[in-house]
Amino acid sequence: MPNGSLSLPARLYLLAWDTTKLKITGSTHLHHLVRAGALTELAQRGLLVDDDGIVTPVDADSRTGDLVLDGLLELVAESRPRKWKPWVTLRARVTLDAVRAQLAAGGYLRAEKKRVLGLFPSVEYELDRVAAVDALRAEARQVLEGPLPVAEVSDRDAALVALATAAELRTLASPKDRKLHKARIDELAERGGAATPALRKVVQEVRTAVIMATTTASTTAASTTGS
């Protein structure tokens, strides 16, 4: 699974790793970000469309060959109609778990089986391919900062940075960086849905949902810490 073949949700998950501390960041809302990446990629591929605001599979039998994306396609097809915002959060950990399992199979992560309280089976993941994640982050930073004009950035790369900054991933951009590059980030969000006006609407809605989910998770975490 070379870097170039990684799906958008897989790349977003890897970007959340702090390769200096070998720790995952943004864990309180990472599942929302990963789900948003999967929704966006399926929309960019034309497999999910917006039907009067409702997330709709073009063909219930369509498959991408990617287990994470195909799992979400099946979930959407088998569920009652919903808008984009609910799909960013609904059972989002299912997509996160699938991404981690996929990356472990591809050698990016190492899965370690443990038991919680000595009784309940659990799996913890460690990062194995640090250099690959550092390279991925360097590429994303170039998209964020330039010098390549936004119009020449691929829609997948544009969506990657737009969603990662919406989720406030500090491993990609600090608050100062996000403020400094705000105009370019907004342009990248537009670029992520450049294929059609309908897709542009979808990307913007998903990005807004990520911002809301991130804010909610951060507020909840702060309240818990404060209490």
Side-chain angles (χ1 to χ4, degrees):
M1 188 191 297
N3 279 358
S5 67
L6 288 174
S7 69
L8 183 53
R11 293 166 74 199
L12 285 166
Y13 173 81
L14 289 175
L15 274 182
W17 276 91
D18 183 332
T19 54
T20 59
K21 299 178 180 178
L22 294 181
K23 292 175 59 177
I24 201 77
T25 61
S27 58
T28 57
H29 51 268
L30 184 56
H31 51 308
H32 300 143
L33 174 60
V34 169
R35 169 59 66 79
L39 287 169
T40 300
E41 178 153 350
L42 287 170
Q44 288 179 334
R45 291 189 183 206
L47 297 174
L48 287 181
V49 296
D50 184 273
D51 184 3
D52 196 24
I54 301 299
V55 183
T56 306
V58 171
D59 182 349
D61 296 324
S62 294
R63 294 293 179 269
T64 66
D66 182 289
L67 293 178
V68 175
L69 299 177
D70 289 344
L72 181 54
L73 269 178
E74 290 180 17
L75 183 60
V76 173
E78 294 170 358
S79 302
R80 67 175 178 81
R82 289 182 172 86
K83 295 187 176 182
W84 296 93
K85 178 183 174 183
W87 273 120
V88 170
T89 56
L90 180 67
R91 296 180 62 188
R93 292 191 185 278
V94 171
T95 302
L96 176 62
D97 289 343
V99 164
R100 290 189 295 203
Q102 182 186 61
L103 289 170
Y108 285 83
L109 303 177
R110 181 176 66 258
E112 297 185 353
K113 295 182 179 180
K114 298 186 177 181
R115 288 189 176 273
V116 179
L117 302 177
L119 298 173
F120 307 104
S122 176
V123 178
E124 293 186 4
Y125 293 91
E126 302 293 337
L127 182 63
D128 258 1
R129 296 185 59 183
V130 173
V133 175
D134 283 338
L136 175 63
R137 181 172 297 108
E139 293 169 3
R141 288 286 302 185
Q142 284 190 330
V143 172
L144 173 65
E145 300 173 354
L148 189 68
V150 170
E152 296 179 25
V153 175
S154 72
D155 58 351
R156 290 181 77 241
D157 287 346
L160 176 79
V161 172
L163 291 173
T165 51
E168 300 179 359
L169 274 191
R170 291 175 177 267
T171 45
L172 175 63
S174 67
K176 182 179 179 180
D177 290 331
R178 294 196 301 273
K179 183 176 181 180
L180 178 64
H181 300 292
K182 182 181 184 305
R184 185 173 172 92
I185 290 170
D186 290 341
E187 290 179 29
L188 288 168
E190 289 282 319
R191 177 63 183 162
T196 65
L199 179 57
R200 187 175 299 115
K201 173 190 172 186
V202 167
V203 173
Q204 291 289 6
E205 286 196 18
V206 171
R207 180 178 176 233
T208 299
V210 170
I211 292 172
M212 294 177 65
T214 299
T215 301
T216 300
S218 298
T219 300
T220 301
S223 299
T224 303
T225 303
S227 61

